[in-house]
Amino acid sequence: MKEARTKKKRASLDVQVGTVITKLKKLSSKSARDGMARYGLPSDNALGVPVGKMQKLAKAMGRDHELAAALWETGIYEARMVAAFLDEPALVTPAQMDRWCRDFDNWGIVDTVCFKLFDQTPHAWKKVVQWSKKRDEFQKRAAFALVACLGVHDRKATDEQFLACLPLIEEAATDERNFVKKGVSWALRVIGRRNAGLHQSSVELAERLAASTNATARSLGKEALREFKSSVVTRQLKRRQQGSK
């Protein structure tokens, strides 16, 4: 009886996956698919659907952890994007996060999964540390994309949690791979905009990097310093400081 129910449930899930794929195909276009390369996104296993349309589709469907897992298994770019929008953060396990991380093969999936799902799970901070040691380009990027997303979304996080990320950023700052260095830069710049205290610590790190003999670290540090010294960031930090009083 239990086996029959399991098969019936799986069959129902397969139908749902098929329905979502059909809808995505209707929303796709060759021009959108061909244009993905301009943004550094692979189109080999993609349909060509704009992100806005994927989000609208997922919103109409509502949260569904099991369907998200099944969509991810298809390997289709858009199906995986929709999976990130559909999944329920409270049901995401560390094992699932590691499985999905191993599948990361482009920056679009990495950033969307981290921004829309992983940073809302209770396991996010542990994964930052673990993934920062990864060798694969996109798995390593995930660590720093996750830091950046937590910096934007996690209002309860302490300064100490972000300060603990700065040594990870400094260690990875010499990684010259494009998607890693952009992720590292993103993480540092977000931490530095969070509040005055973190700003100071981030500036100190950026100054060390800017003085580095390593070209990648030096470029990353100079980029961060330019942003930290900008009038936009100065005004933003001032507003936040006044709001906390």
Side-chain angles (χ1 to χ4, degrees):
M1 184 68 72
K2 184 177 180 181
E3 185 178 349
R5 285 198 300 268
T6 300
K7 288 183 178 179
K8 185 175 181 181
K9 187 175 182 180
R10 180 68 233 185
S12 175
L13 197 56
D14 289 344
V15 170
Q16 292 179 66
V17 169
T19 299
V20 174
I21 300 302
T22 297
K23 290 180 178 180
L24 286 170
K25 287 180 177 179
K26 289 181 179 178
L27 295 171
S28 68
S29 68
K30 184 177 183 301
S31 60
R33 185 174 180 274
D34 292 344
M36 293 175 69
R38 293 198 299 272
Y39 302 99
L41 297 171
S43 58
D44 291 346
N45 203 21
L47 303 173
V49 183
V51 175
K53 291 184 178 181
M54 287 188 271
Q55 288 180 307
K56 187 175 181 180
L57 174 62
K59 186 176 182 180
M61 295 166 62
R63 294 284 188 175
D64 191 323
H65 178 64
E66 291 186 347
L67 179 56
L71 286 169
W72 186 269
E73 289 303 314
T74 67
I76 299 171
Y77 173 76
E78 288 83 358
R80 287 184 164 178
M81 291 284 280
V82 171
F85 301 139
L86 286 182
D87 211 342
E88 301 172 70
L91 299 182
V92 174
T93 65
Q96 177 188 337
M97 293 176 75
D98 286 333
R99 284 197 306 274
W100 285 25
C101 183
R102 287 193 293 271
D103 288 338
F104 287 158
D105 58 0
N106 67 82
W107 70 266
I109 286 291
V110 173
D111 295 2
T112 300
V113 171
C114 288
F115 196 82
K116 292 293 185 179
L117 180 63
F118 282 178
D119 70 338
Q120 300 170 54
T121 73
H123 322 295
W125 286 101
K126 288 183 179 179
K127 292 306 171 188
V128 166
V129 177
Q130 293 172 11
W131 294 347
S132 70
K133 310 301 180 184
K134 295 289 187 181
R135 293 184 179 181
D136 177 83
E137 182 174 9
F138 293 107
Q139 290 180 35
K140 192 168 184 178
R141 178 189 174 89
F144 299 100
L146 195 49
V147 171
C149 295
L150 287 164
V152 173
H153 294 149
D154 193 343
R155 300 303 179 188
K156 295 181 179 180
T158 65
D159 284 2
E160 286 69 26
Q161 286 175 290
F162 289 104
L163 288 171
C165 294
L166 294 182
L168 303 179
I169 289 172
E170 188 164 12
E171 183 179 353
T174 57
D175 194 319
E176 63 185 15
R177 291 175 295 178
N178 185 52
F179 295 108
V180 174
K181 67 182 181 182
K182 285 186 176 181
V184 172
S185 175
W186 183 20
L188 176 58
R189 290 182 289 111
V190 168
I191 292 174
R193 294 197 303 264
R194 192 169 166 92
N195 60 48
L198 289 173
H199 176 77
Q200 182 58 40
S201 297
S202 298
V203 167
E204 291 171 2
L205 172 54
E207 289 174 341
R208 289 200 301 276
L209 295 177
S212 173
T213 56
N214 180 274
T216 302
R218 189 166 61 249
S219 175
L220 192 154
K222 289 180 178 180
E223 177 186 37
L225 286 174
R226 283 195 297 271
E227 181 166 320
F228 291 155
K229 294 177 180 179
S230 70
S231 58
V232 173
V233 172
T234 301
R235 287 195 300 269
Q236 184 184 66
L237 289 169
K238 187 175 181 179
R239 286 195 303 270
R240 288 179 178 175
Q241 192 169 17
Q242 290 173 341
S244 65
K245 292 181 179 179

